[in-house]
Amino acid sequence: DQQVKQNSPSLSVQEGRISILNCDYTNSMFDYFLWYKKYPAEGPTFLISISSIKDKNEDGRFTVFLNKSAKHLSLHIVPSQPGDSAVYFCAASPGANSKLTFGKGITLSVRP
Amino acid sequence: EAQVTQNPRYLITVTGKKLTVTCSQNMNHEYMSWYRQDPGLGLRQIYYSMNVEVTDKGDVPEGYKVSRKEKRNFPLILESPSPNQTSLYFCASRAYGANVLTFGAGSRLTVL
């Protein structure tokens, strides 16, 4: 039973445009959500997070939106840059000290 | 520099030959965990440890062992590796009460 779903395996975007990466979850106990970015031959690195008490969190070019009623979150990257090309993992947990459940990841390619 | 260090980074071995992947963190984190990444399956948790001498199974523990004798180290042991354990392995850690995991660079294991 996959509790965190990233249904699109890949996304290709033109440099300068917006990238929108989607994530759905099924466990209503999840209350903290994170995005990780992974380059080839490196470990995943933390990108941005959001708690369930918020519906938006912004950090520079990266914004995460949370829609709790739809159990959906999205990561927006504006403007997209070639260096953003990586695998992005969505993750969720029911709270601090709890297990982090990851999605399958989405490969983002930003074309120059 | 705060980091999680895994060794070896790359290993090719044969079925049945015991091996250990080491993991060490220098951040005094209580929580440590092992994940494997496989194509189309994302990151799946193998084992985790909440503190010294406290370990528990994750989602895919079969064929693996762990130990946590010291706070900084969390080795992953494959007593009798099989080809289905060919994968990319990540060790991660976090402080008590935190949600963000810090990952190592990964260990690519091939079992022939």
Side-chain angles (χ1 to χ4, degrees):
Chain A
D1 177 31
Q2 196 184 349
Q3 297 186 60
V4 178
K5 302 177 184 181
Q6 295 178 260
N7 292 320
S8 302
S10 63
L11 175 69
S12 182
V13 170
Q14 191 76 35
E15 180 179 5
R17 298 290 187 102
I18 184 171
S19 294
I20 300 176
L21 288 68
N22 293 307
C23 179
D24 297 292
Y25 61 96
T26 58
N27 188 339
S28 56
M29 298 300 291
F30 287 151
D31 71 354
Y32 199 84
F33 306 87
L34 305 89
W35 285 93
Y36 278 81
K37 178 165 78 171
K38 184 187 176 304
Y39 293 119
E42 296 182 13
T45 56
F46 170 70
L47 187 58
I48 192 169
S49 64
I50 188 166
S51 130
S52 60
I53 62 173
K54 294 186 175 182
D55 55 17
K56 175 182 173 181
N57 188 28
E58 195 170 349
D59 183 2
R61 296 185 297 112
F62 303 90
T63 303
V64 56
F65 295 91
L66 175 63
N67 182 334
K68 283 185 294 182
S69 61
K71 293 191 176 69
H72 176 83
L73 62 154
S74 60
L75 174 68
H76 293 212
I77 307 173
V78 184
S80 301
Q81 300 174 352
D84 295 329
S85 297
V87 177
Y88 289 79
F89 291 100
C90 172
S93 83
N97 297 323
S98 300
K99 175 187 169 184
L100 206 54
T101 300
F102 286 85
K104 293 182 178 182
I106 178 170
T107 300
L108 172 66
S109 300
V110 181
R111 307 184 303 273
Chain B
E1 180 189 354
Q3 59 185 1
V4 178
T5 303
Q6 301 177 223
N7 280 296
R9 292 289 313 279
Y10 302 91
L11 180 63
I12 300 174
T13 190
V14 296
T15 298
K17 186 176 181 182
K18 180 179 178 179
L19 69 93
T20 299
V21 185
T22 64
C23 174
S24 181
Q25 50 94 3
N26 62 1
M27 296 166 281
N28 202 36
H29 285 169
E30 289 78 13
Y31 179 97
M32 298 185 74
S33 182
W34 277 101
Y35 290 83
R36 60 180 286 175
Q37 183 190 1
D38 301 290
L41 296 176
L43 289 164
R44 296 180 295 167
Q45 190 181 53
I46 303 170
Y47 268 95
Y48 65 96
S49 170
M50 298 292 283
N51 214 323
V52 176
E53 301 292 1
V54 181
T55 64
D56 209 344
K57 297 177 181 179
D59 299 314
V60 288
E62 296 76 22
Y64 304 95
K65 284 177 56 176
V66 293
S67 69
R68 187 93 182 272
K69 294 185 171 60
E70 304 165 284
K71 196 172 187 179
R72 63 183 293 126
N73 296 324
F74 191 45
L76 180 69
I77 303 155
L78 286 73
E79 297 247 333
S80 183
S82 62
N84 65 11
Q85 292 178 297
T86 293
S87 187
L88 179 56
Y89 291 87
F90 292 101
C91 181
S93 72
R94 69 168 187 233
Y96 183 82
N99 279 293
V100 178
L101 282 169
T102 300
F103 282 85
S107 297
R108 183 166 292 282
L109 171 65
T110 302
V111 183
L112 302 175

